Amino acid sequence: MTETTKLPDNNLSISGKRKNPRTKTPFAGRVTQTFVYTFTAVVAIILLILVGFVALKSSKLFQNTNFWDFIFKGKWDPENNIFGIGTIILMTIMLLLVAMVFAIPITIFSTLFISEYLSKKYQKIVMTIVKLLAGIPSVVFGLFAREHVGALFRLMGAPSNDNLMVAGLTMAFMAIPTMVSLSYNAVQAVPEGYRFGSLGLGISKEKTTFSIVRKSAWAKIISAIIMGMSRVIGETMAIMMIAGNSTGGFNTTDGIIGFLFSSIRTLAATIGLEMLENKGQLHESALYAIGLFLFILVFVINLSILIISNIDNWKRNRRAKQEEKMVAAGKTSKAYRNYRKYSSYELIEIVNNRSENKICKKMYSGSLMIAMWLSTALVISFTFWILGTVAIRGLGGLVYSDAFLSINGQAGILAALLTTVMLILATLVFAVPLALGAAIYLSEYSRSNSKVVKTLRFSIGLLASTPSIVFGIFGLSVFIVWMKIPFSILAAALTMTIVVLPMLISNFEDALTSVPSSYREAGAALGMSKVKRLFKIVLPNAMEGIITGTILAMARIIGESAPVYLTLGTAMQLPTEGFLSSGATLTTGIYMLSAEAGPGRGEAIAYLMSLMTIVLVLTLNFTSGRVSALVTGAKRTPLVLIIRGQISAVKHYDYKISLGRKFNKVKAVYIVFINRLKPSVVKEKWTKWRARRKAYKKLKKGEKS
């Protein structure tokens, strides 16, 4: 039996009494914690101010008009101070229905086909195409749809290119990327055992896909559909370009064709069209009331998503209770093992309902395959159609090379590009510190089960799904009217800060939580304070994800148009006054130039600017990971991060004991780290090492003799 050296207890004082493990937080830790809490509080206050301010501005209307009259009255006539949004709500709902009629089947069929029938290689290719479609700005959708999608419906008898069907089909393809991406993740999360079990029972591949896989992921697919619905409800600029913007109601005199090709206006488009040209305080208050109604609608949608997303947890808990009852009732172990996601009765029903007619089986499978093929092909075709059209028309716009310097007596494309770059820089200066502080609080300082944290996360999700036009009217009133900041890059940057804040917080938090907890434990074992662990271990390892999230936010800023339209201005001019200059970004410039209908100079330049915008956005989206990897460099091992500059934090005698055992410095620090966590493991390893060492020495002596 070998003797082991007893390691001293680091928590004992000279008198033998155990030290108090609580230590006073250093000054740097208190300062960092104060900043983190402050930034998090600012994020929460922004949400409260946003809701409170919009509600306050809409109160003037409700002093003169009943809330229910405002909601259900059909006439909207600002000239005569008549404000009823009933007809506009019906138009918005009708647009939503038309868009979902196209989007939901395409989403379900294409998602199941991509996930269940394509190999990993082709899944990646098709999902990349879906991301391409998601990266196209809304004004580019509007510019493309008014000419090309509108032309298709003109062949079907539409009186104009701006109508309900054009807007509905366009909004469907704007919502499909979000819905497909979320649904794909949901389907991929379905356990493989469900598929194998169904196929093992003799059920066909198609039946398995739609009866087992789809049902298992159905709750999350519904959440994805609801997210797509919120995308349709909140869209502003594209609807202003392709819906016709009439508040007169639907055309019911020409039958169903006239109804479907009616000129409509949505809630968000009403705000965008009339906010800058309101007829007075009552009209302005009515527009804020529409924003408040949109916010309430988004709140209901997010609450629905939260409830639906917890259905699986509720089912799992109910199933666990049923299992407990089975055990308590004395069920046999065989019955307990056979208890699965689908009960035996459900499985028997599925097996018995299999069609024995081979012709019916083939017809069923064939029809599903055709639907999945067509849906996926439709998404891919539309993506290449819009990208190809913009590329061809945009390159054709290069004949107007003078447009880079001057357009219709104003500054040219380069001025819009410079304004866009300055807007990005100003927005990131405000948004990144706030988002990083909130993300650090959520990942490092908060308790996940806290009600405050859950409320904060729900609020961040609520901000993320709020229509951007609501942020626009908030920025217009607070930063421009109340704070007296002129229409400028600064006002737009403050507004865009609120727009991208939820996105940045989510991305930064994901980056921080992706750092393994063992890294933090290693730093704590070596005596590093919480702040030192944060700056020396967590942030360096999360830096790649943080940079990626920042680049994606830059792409969002480039593609956003509604808040910029209300706070920056629309005149294309050089920012000669710095960040207090007004002007137009690439997207708002596209919107203004697209007003020149027909194959003229303005439309050609608009396509050229669209091509530049798409190239910028897609480049940022698809190179964010590589750029962040280049900036951060090769990943360092956690052990190197911990050891660098931290050996002095290790207790001197622990370190000497480890070195005395003929370990090198790296091994010594590693042994001390293990000793801080599990002393018994160190003793066991040390005992085994000594035994092997002695056996090796005896073997060597025997060979020499």
Side-chain angles (χ1 to χ4, degrees), residues 423 432 544:
L423 176 62
V432 170
E544 184 174 347

Side-chain angles (χ1 to χ4, degrees), residues 246-562:
S246 172
T247 59
F250 297 102
N251 179 10
T252 57
T253 58
D254 297 331
I256 187 65
I257 298 297
F259 180 83
L260 292 177
F261 293 142
S262 299
S263 175
I264 65 167
R265 181 191 288 190
T266 62
L267 294 167
T270 301
I271 299 174
L273 287 167
E274 299 183 8
M275 179 55 75
L276 294 178
E277 300 176 359
N278 62 78
K279 307 298 181 182
Q281 292 185 355
L282 195 61
H283 185 196
E284 182 186 29
S285 180
L287 295 174
Y288 276 101
I290 295 177
L292 181 63
F293 180 77
L294 282 173
F295 195 86
I296 294 172
L297 199 60
V298 168
F299 176 81
V300 173
I301 289 173
N302 277 268
L303 194 61
S304 302
I305 293 174
L306 182 64
I307 294 172
I308 292 172
S309 61
N310 286 325
I311 287 178
D312 289 340
N313 294 332
W314 294 339
K315 287 183 177 180
R316 195 180 300 113
N317 294 335
R318 186 180 64 181
R319 191 163 64 250
K321 290 180 180 179
Q322 289 176 351
E323 291 174 355
E324 291 176 0
K325 289 181 180 179
M326 289 174 63
V327 175
K331 297 289 184 179
T332 62
S333 59
K334 183 177 180 181
Y336 181 79
R337 287 196 305 269
N338 290 336
Y339 189 79
R340 294 292 185 266
K341 171 74 176 178
Y342 295 97
S343 67
S344 58
Y345 298 104
E346 290 173 327
L347 288 174
I348 291 171
E349 184 179 357
I350 291 173
V351 174
N352 291 336
N353 287 338
R354 291 180 300 167
S355 175
E356 298 297 333
N357 191 329
K358 292 184 179 181
I359 297 177
C360 293
K361 277 186 177 182
K362 290 182 178 180
M363 290 179 62
Y364 177 79
S365 301
S367 60
L368 291 179
M369 283 299 298
I370 291 173
M372 289 188 289
W373 266 101
L374 288 177
S375 298
T376 308
L378 196 58
V379 174
I380 296 173
S381 301
F382 188 87
T383 303
F384 284 112
W385 184 23
I386 185 172
L387 290 177
T389 301
V390 172
I392 294 171
R393 298 291 297 275
L395 293 174
L398 289 174
V399 297
Y400 302 104
S401 57
D402 59 321
F404 284 95
L405 300 177
S406 176
I407 300 175
N408 299 333
Q410 299 180 358
I413 298 175
L414 292 179
L417 181 61
L418 180 59
T419 303
T420 304
V421 172
M422 293 180 67
L423 176 62
I424 292 171
L425 294 176
T427 303
L428 294 181
V429 166
F430 293 115
V432 170
L434 289 174
L436 189 58
I440 290 173
Y441 169 76
L442 291 173
S443 64
E444 304 296 322
Y445 288 92
S446 67
R447 292 178 295 176
S448 58
N449 295 327
S450 171
K451 291 184 179 180
V452 175
V453 174
K454 289 182 179 179
T455 304
L456 183 60
R457 292 186 191 278
F458 180 78
S459 302
I460 292 171
L462 189 61
L463 275 177
S465 55
T466 300
S468 58
I469 192 66
V470 177
F471 297 116
I473 60 175
F474 174 78
L476 175 66
S477 297
V478 173
F479 302 128
I480 295 177
V481 176
W482 184 56
M483 297 179 65
K484 306 299 181 182
I485 300 175
F487 285 90
S488 60
I489 296 173
L490 178 60
L494 291 171
T495 306
M496 287 302 301
T497 297
I498 308 174
V499 175
V500 301
L501 205 53
M503 176 185 181
L504 283 173
I505 292 174
S506 299
N507 290 334
F508 290 174
E509 186 186 0
D510 291 341
L512 292 170
T513 53
S514 65
V515 179
S517 58
S518 58
Y519 292 13
R520 299 172 177 84
E521 294 169 358
L526 294 173
M528 297 173 66
S529 64
K530 192 175 186 67
V531 175
K532 212 162 191 177
R533 295 198 301 271
L534 177 64
F535 286 100
K536 295 290 185 180
I537 298 176
V538 178
L539 286 178
N541 280 275
M543 190 55 63
E544 184 174 347
I546 291 172
I547 294 175
T548 300
T550 304
I551 294 174
L552 293 176
M554 293 168 62
R556 171 72 185 275
I557 296 168
I558 293 173
E560 195 60 66
S561 51

